[in-house]
Amino acid sequence: MGNSGVRTHPGAAGRAPAADRPSAIRNVALVGHSGSGKTTLAEALAHTAGAVTRAGRVEDGGTVSDHDGIEHRQQRSVQLSLVPVEWGGIKINVLDTPGYADFVGELRAGLRAADAALFVVSAADGVDGATRSVWDECAAVGMPRALVVTHLEAARAGSEEMTAVCREAFGGDDPDAVLPLYLPLRGEPAADGRAPVTGLVGLLSQRVFDYSSGTRAEAGPGPEQLPLIEEARGRLIEGIISGSEDETLMDRYLAGEELDVGTLTADLERAVARGGFHPVLAAAPAAEGSRQGLGTVELLELITGGFPTPLERDAPAVATPEGRPLPPLACDPAGPLAAEVVKTSSDPYVGRISLVRVFSGTLRPDETVHVSGHGLADRGHADHDVDERVGALSTPFGKQQRTLSQAIAGDLACVAKLGRAETGDTISAKERPLLLEPWVMPDPLLPVAIRAHSKADEDKLSQGLSRLVAEDPTMRLEHDPDTHQLVLWCLGEAHADVALERLRGRYGVRVDTVPHRVPLRETFGEPGGGRGRHVKQSGGHGQFAICEIEVEPLPAGSGIEFVDKVVGGAVPRQFIPSVEKGVRAQAARGVAAGHELVDIRVTLLDGKAHSVDSSDAAFQLAGALALREAAAGSRIHLLEPVAEVRVLVADSYVGAVMVDLSGRRGRVVGSEQSGAGRTLVRAEIPETELGRYAVDLRSLSHGTGRFSRSYARHEPMPPQLAAKIREEEPDGT
């Protein structure tokens, strides 16, 4: 890292990189907020490694981007994409993750497929709260991390200020674990006062790497650069050896011994691979006509030398499809096949394409495999265990796919024609089915009610939605039995916009959004009584049934009780169940605003029957009429669902969150510390006030807040709101 000479194109230009052993693979996820420069960096790495002939262009003229080329209209990156490059005989799978919070599901999938994370920080914009949260998630699982600073041309700050932001944001209890490996060198200031970055100084090697000519050139430092290097180099060495496994290094350093650069570099690489040290680098894309982007060579050397191989990372826990735990998997190409679908997309010509990470064994085209998917039935992904034939294996190369003969343990590949496989599914050998423990999926909390735009769209809607949900496990499809609405639960507005655009553009289904309705309930606010009379004579057998009932409110959660107190056979025994059936049917339809009636006791007191004209149907109608008459003369309460909400937010936003919850008719029931600088707020809030809370909380907390919800109970709605709903739905019968 910074010790080698100039390496121009160690990759293989014009052909897709391949790997023949796990030790020759590195899987790296690029993480950062939208606009930090992740996609530009991925293209710059591919350009420097020789996979492209000029910045952003592959040999065949395509762009280095996701194979299905979907772009959000606001130019947000919304999908996980794979950019494989080769450097020094090592295949690097660069996973470019979305930076916008609505697509955190794709980010989590990228982290699942990666063995290390490269956090991209814009020198112009700094670090946002969402990126800090992802850093904490990676720290919790011990994932190795490094940082790369982009947009240096927009920053007036010097090198010290540039890295101070990273240390403050990510250093935690050990800021000396986040230190620069290189210092940027700036040229002459322009008219606006900004000085372009023309090169880097390697702190360990004490060498200058000049990119001003368009190709990396190495030289010794000038006298004016030595003082700049000395202080930063001393801090870097102390940071490396303070966490070193070699306990003699600190004693030797304190004794004044000049430590060998090779020893320090090897120790640094071990510290990075085990997640104990997080180096900071700088990078910029190549200018037009240049062969290498600034810092890209150093970054490729860090990835190949310091990031762990798949052999050094534990595979997810594995079990049988029935749930019986199995011994941990080893990253062995000769082991049992265990791979995972980390992304599903559709190609208009090939069909469904699955991006797969192989954890064990070797995946080959045209073989029959077992596909297992469990645990996401609540999101529209039914549990399944099926055998499927693998289609062609390939790797993205711009807009094209380059064929692979196999994908070994540790590698990633695109698999065609797995018609039943969905994101999160496990692929294993047909004769030895396995199930990998799923990664944590964010819970979609923004409801979007939809309906088909036309009859033609209605015919295609079911198939289009099933394909959409198969691609995105962070989305939940629900057909609400109470409101009869079709609801897509999404992570945010942008997530919903992209989903609806995919429905239209990819599957030819147009839908309209409609206001989301919360399932309300009705109940009696006071006792009441009613008489149901259904008497008709139209020739032949007529219809005759009369019944009298009394209705009493019951405590919440009691449901509907039916009591028979008829004496003297006024209602024949065979028709009493008919009355109950009619009462319950009317309760399900509602008596005031079309919502289900609950928590009442209905007592049948009296009635009349006819020896010829009475029937089951007649007494059902009489029972329904009696309940409606009782409701017309009584006070009916509308009940709204109340949710238990748990909001996890940074301490600095707690006050604003509590004020907002109160404004939503919420009751804060408690708060408690949840880790350093974070508070968990517990509240009870009516569901009708939570429709846009996923969006509003993100805005309120600058992307750092998270919440979960669970049903608590139904309780009476305020009279003024209930009256408004009755005006909108005056007849629920």
Side-chain angles (χ1 to χ4, degrees):
M1 293 186 289
N3 300 316
S4 62
V6 177
R7 292 200 276 180
T8 54
H9 289 264
R15 68 175 178 84
D20 58 359
R21 62 192 187 282
S23 60
I25 299 172
R26 304 292 185 274
N27 298 311
V28 183
L30 301 185
V31 180
H33 67 80
S34 182
S36 61
K38 299 183 302 299
T39 300
T40 302
L41 178 61
E43 294 175 351
L45 294 175
H47 178 60
T48 296
V52 296
T53 54
R54 60 188 185 278
R57 300 290 176 183
V58 296
E59 291 283 350
D60 57 13
T63 58
V64 179
S65 62
D66 190 31
H67 60 265
D68 62 1
I70 290 179
E71 279 294 325
H72 193 266
R73 64 173 62 92
Q74 280 85 24
Q75 300 301 311
R76 296 182 181 120
S77 176
V78 301
Q79 292 195 109
L80 171 69
S81 60
L82 172 63
V83 181
V85 301
E86 185 176 334
W87 186 259
I90 302 295
K91 179 184 180 183
I92 305 172
N93 289 313
V94 180
L95 292 150
D96 183 9
T97 69
Y100 195 62
D102 277 13
F103 306 100
V104 66
E106 301 263 340
L107 166 61
R108 297 264 178 89
L111 292 174
R112 172 70 160 212
D115 300 309
L118 187 62
F119 281 73
V120 184
V121 178
S122 169
D125 302 325
V127 183
D128 68 344
T131 304
R132 291 189 181 96
S133 297
V134 178
W135 178 277
D136 293 339
E137 288 183 25
C138 292
V141 297
M143 175 171 279
R145 286 146 286 150
L147 298 101
V148 58
V149 181
T150 60
H151 297 163
L152 296 170
E153 72 286 349
R156 296 174 180 269
S159 59
E160 183 66 27
E161 291 81 3
M162 181 189 72
T163 57
V165 173
C166 296
R167 296 180 67 193
E168 179 182 354
F170 304 119
D173 297 331
D174 187 8
D176 286 337
V178 180
L179 293 169
L181 291 185
Y182 301 87
L183 299 181
L185 294 177
R186 294 186 181 271
E188 293 297 323
D192 61 359
R194 299 181 181 181
V197 178
T198 59
L200 301 170
V201 178
L203 294 180
L204 290 184
S205 63
Q206 301 184 83
R207 304 291 290 172
V208 174
F209 303 101
D210 186 1
Y211 283 86
S212 60
S213 65
T215 301
R216 181 177 185 257
E218 182 178 345
E224 73 283 0
Q225 296 164 340
L226 290 176
L228 176 69
I229 295 173
E230 184 176 353
E231 180 182 354
R233 186 174 190 268
R235 189 187 308 147
L236 173 62
I237 292 175
E238 291 176 6
I240 294 172
I241 63 180
S242 64
S244 173
E245 295 177 344
D246 185 350
E247 298 179 356
T248 66
L249 284 182
M250 181 61 77
D251 294 334
R252 291 161 56 190
Y253 177 73
L254 293 176
E257 180 181 340
E258 183 67 27
L259 299 177
D260 176 70
V261 173
T263 300
L264 290 172
T265 301
D267 212 58
L268 168 66
E269 291 175 345
R270 285 192 293 271
V272 172
R274 68 172 183 266
F277 187 80
H278 315 295
V280 181
L281 298 89
E288 185 67 30
S290 300
R291 298 177 64 186
Q292 296 167 331
L294 183 140
T296 53
V297 171
E298 289 74 18
L299 190 52
L300 289 165
E301 290 181 348
L302 171 69
I303 292 171
T304 55
F307 280 177
T309 72
L311 296 168
E312 299 172 75
R313 299 288 296 165
D314 294 334
V318 65
T320 65
E322 297 75 29
R324 179 170 55 85
L326 295 173
L329 292 171
C331 184
D332 181 3
L337 177 62
E340 188 169 42
V341 179
V342 294
K343 177 184 173 180
T344 309
S345 59
S346 296
D347 184 278
Y349 304 105
V350 181
R352 183 174 293 185
I353 296 178
S354 304
L355 178 60
V356 170
R357 162 71 192 259
V358 184
F359 288 101
S360 173
T362 299
L363 184 63
R364 297 180 175 85
D366 300 322
E367 67 178 346
T368 300
V369 298
H370 186 79
V371 178
S372 300
H374 295 186
L376 290 173
D378 64 322
R379 302 194 183 189
H381 301 256
D383 289 354
H384 56 270
D385 288 286
V386 296
D387 292 335
E388 289 203 76
R389 188 177 182 84
V390 175
L393 300 184
S394 60
T395 189
F397 196 73
K399 289 184 177 179
Q400 295 189 355
Q401 297 284 317
R402 297 292 175 90
T403 302
L404 295 176
S405 61
Q406 63 180 19
I408 65 170
D411 206 357
L412 286 97
C414 293
V415 183
K417 299 182 179 179
L418 287 179
R420 297 287 299 277
E422 302 179 356
T423 301
D425 282 0
T426 301
I427 298 174
S428 55
K430 177 182 177 181
E431 63 278 2
R432 189 177 177 182
L434 301 173
L435 185 65
L436 292 167
E437 182 181 39
W439 68 86
V440 177
M441 302 283 187
D443 194 16
L445 295 168
L446 178 69
V448 181
I450 60 173
R451 65 184 175 197
H453 181 73
S454 67
K455 180 62 170 66
D457 296 309
E458 188 174 344
D459 295 337
K460 299 181 291 185
L461 182 59
S462 177
Q463 185 179 30
L465 287 173
S466 65
R467 291 181 177 178
L468 189 71
V469 174
E471 295 179 11
D472 189 353
T474 64
M475 187 178 298
R476 186 171 79 244
L477 177 63
E478 174 186 74
H479 189 278
D480 194 306
D482 296 301
T483 64
H484 307 292
Q485 285 189 317
L486 196 60
V487 182
L488 275 178
W489 288 86
C490 304
L491 295 175
E493 289 179 312
H495 190 206
D497 289 345
V498 168
L500 299 184
E501 178 60 27
R502 286 178 183 168
L503 266 181
R504 187 195 65 79
R506 187 179 294 176
Y507 304 119
V509 181
R510 294 181 302 164
V511 298
D512 299 321
T513 59
V514 295
H516 176 243
R517 295 171 56 196
V518 171
L520 304 178
R521 298 286 185 266
E522 301 172 0
T523 194
F524 276 63
E526 60 187 5
R531 184 172 187 264
R533 184 177 185 274
H534 180 66
V535 178
K536 288 188 177 181
Q537 186 68 46
S538 57
H541 283 300
Q543 300 180 48
F544 187 96
I546 299 175
C547 63
E548 296 182 8
I549 63 171
E550 180 183 72
V551 183
E552 306 168 73
L554 294 177
S558 299
I560 295 180
E561 294 182 11
F562 185 84
V563 179
D564 170 24
K565 287 190 176 180
V566 174
V567 295
V571 177
R573 306 305 302 171
Q574 68 268 27
F575 294 134
I576 290 176
S578 302
V579 176
E580 179 179 359
K581 188 174 181 180
V583 166
R584 291 186 180 275
Q586 183 62 53
R589 294 191 295 267
V591 294
H595 304 287
E596 182 182 356
L597 183 68
V598 296
D599 302 332
I600 57 171
R601 177 185 293 120
V602 178
T603 303
L604 179 59
L605 301 174
D606 199 0
K608 292 182 180 180
H610 189 277
S611 59
V612 175
D613 293 340
S614 291
S615 65
D616 169 71
F619 271 100
Q620 285 191 44
L621 286 169
L625 290 170
L627 184 61
R628 289 165 61 178
E629 182 176 289
S634 302
R635 186 174 69 255
I636 303 299
H637 288 162
L638 281 187
L639 305 177
E640 60 182 343
V642 175
E644 292 182 359
V645 175
R646 297 162 62 88
V647 185
L648 184 63
V649 68
D651 290 346
S652 54
Y653 301 116
V654 170
V657 166
M658 287 188 173
V659 170
D660 180 73
L661 292 176
S662 299
R664 297 173 186 271
R665 297 191 286 127
R667 295 184 295 272
V668 176
V669 297
S671 64
E672 58 197 61
Q673 285 299 121
S674 181
R678 298 179 74 80
T679 298
L680 181 66
V681 179
R682 291 177 285 107
E684 294 181 343
I685 308 175
E687 289 275 6
T688 53
E689 302 287 344
L690 286 176
R692 287 184 49 83
Y693 192 59
V695 177
D696 296 339
L697 176 62
R698 184 179 299 159
S699 174
L700 192 66
S701 64
H702 294 255
T704 63
R706 299 196 301 270
F707 82 102
S708 61
R709 66 203 288 178
S710 59
Y711 172 77
R713 62 188 175 277
H714 274 74
E715 62 181 32
M717 179 180 284
Q720 65 274 18
L721 292 180
K724 181 179 179 181
I725 289 178
R726 287 194 179 96
E727 290 174 2
E728 296 172 350
E729 303 178 73
D731 186 7
T733 61

